[in-house]
Amino acid sequence: MIFKSSIKLIALFLVFCSSIFVSKAQSYYNVIKYGAKNDSTKLATLAIKKAIEAASAAGGGTVYFPAGKYLTGAIHLKSNITILIDAGAELHFSDNFDDYLPMVKSRYEGVDVTSFSPLFYAYKAENISIIGRGLIDGHGKKWWDFVEGYKEGQARSKWQLQFDELNKDIVLPDDPKQMKRGFLRPPFIQTMFCKNVLIDGISIRNSPFWTVNPEFCENVKIHAVTINNPHSPNTDGINPESCKNVHISDCHISVGDDCITIKSGKDAPGRKMGVPAENYVITNCTMLSGHGGVVIGSEMSGDVRKIAISNCVFDGTDRGIRIKTARGRGGIVEEIRVSNIIMKNIRNQAIVLDMQYAKTTVEPVSERTPRFRNIHFSNITGQTNEAAYLNGIEEMPIENITFSDINMEAKTGFKIGFANKIEFHNVQVNTELGSVVSTSNVNQLTIDNVKTYTPKANAAVIDLKNTSDTFIYNAFPTVGTSTYLNLSGGKTKNISLGNNNFKNAAKGVVKTDDVTEKVNVISGDKGQ
């Protein structure tokens, strides 16, 4: 009796295990079984769609691409679907524009439109993934050539006419030229209004436009992704726009525009949606070719806040950290922390905060007025053309920016205009030309232990023009310094010094005749 009971228990256990195995096996949907060819001889779009629909009908599952080459058009994901591109598998996206019709709801450079389907697209889906060690290739050259070869006034294509019909009532940005052109290249991967998005491990190349572009999504993780878009226009790497809770880590990016860009909509369209980019962590990434390593804006009309950028290497980008906007955008960029960054071979500036990205004239403060505030940089090593460029606007200066433990080799130093509450702590810049720090129209400035080991005979280490409420301390200029501090401008006032040793400088402080106030020496200064 005991023996028979044991046999029954074992049989039940085997049935249970078998059901688990079958269930697990059935959760994988091999696209070849749905008609896809892995020798790229046949368009696999329909087969992939059938596999996704089968998985979706079962409540979700993994759509599997074994090794081989697949040719496909647009792929639309549904909730609870994982796209698994195995090692040795390559997805080659068609360059026939018709394979990205019908047009779908999308966002293009911060403007909400209906346009070509992205290559991978999801709309209001949850729990979606694109993972694996395989390759996806967007074959973007035909898209790039069409845009770059387009001339105003030439006959409109069928795609442009369709775009016109579908976008009659869209909210336009201040400069609507791009929207009126009506041929908007699709992003490679765009998820719209989705939750729980994972992109992990894959290699991506030749995107038609922006590469990984989540829009209005929540809980996005982009990990160990390699992106290569060489010699290509506007092929930004990762652009999470108006998303919440985003983690980007361990990625390698080399592209034809910005490597990682944080955005939240452009001008009136962005303000209408009013969805900020917030709670982003960017860490352990390497950036090579690109206009910027990590860039915020210029489309930031819905606000950008609570961003942490750390432990990254930028080698060969045009700029390192770049935050940019212009009058008309509106929106606030705030609560940004940048730390533990190495920048090498930076062609322009290591750090940029530019509120005049487009040249405009002064206007009254309104919803069109952008703001930069509460942004902090620390533990940065750089080799660059210009250390930093901070350029506020007269009616809304940049505010509360700190630089701590910075060490750079640069042709020129920090240039700052229209800013309030700026602090330097333990900053060393060995310049080839000019001052380490130059300011104009700055209030509430703190300079603590700022130095250079390459002083210039014709330039002060610190050059302040029309700058007020300033405290300079712990300065110990190196031998050969001609002037440590130069003051000029009729608005320069309330300058205080403390605990400085100017004995190695030919002149500690120099004032021009238009500076009428005396410098306030608090204590401990030597060698003035």
Side-chain angles (χ1 to χ4, degrees), residues 164-210:
D164 295 343
E165 184 65 26
L166 293 172
N167 292 280
K168 290 179 179 178
D169 300 320
I170 64 170
V171 180
L172 292 171
D174 287 359
D175 180 3
K177 183 178 180 181
Q178 182 67 56
M179 300 302 118
K180 288 183 177 179
R181 182 178 292 176
F183 185 88
L184 309 184
R185 292 168 288 157
F188 204 133
I189 301 172
Q190 187 177 71
T191 56
M192 301 276 296
F193 301 101
C194 294
K195 292 183 178 180
N196 305 327
V197 177
L198 172 64
I199 302 171
D200 193 328
I202 59 172
S203 293
I204 308 172
R205 70 186 184 198
N206 298 321
S207 177
F209 183 56
W210 294 354

Side-chain angles (χ1 to χ4, degrees), residues 317-319 343-349 383-385:
T317 57
D318 291 350
R319 300 162 190 86
M343 305 188 195
K344 295 288 287 184
N345 305 309
I346 305 300
R347 285 182 282 273
N348 295 314
Q349 299 90 7
Q383 182 266 315
T384 179
N385 189 54

Side-chain angles (χ1 to χ4, degrees), residues 207 229 244 250 458 463:
S207 177
N229 296 322
K244 184 175 183 179
D250 303 289
N458 59 350
D463 192 342

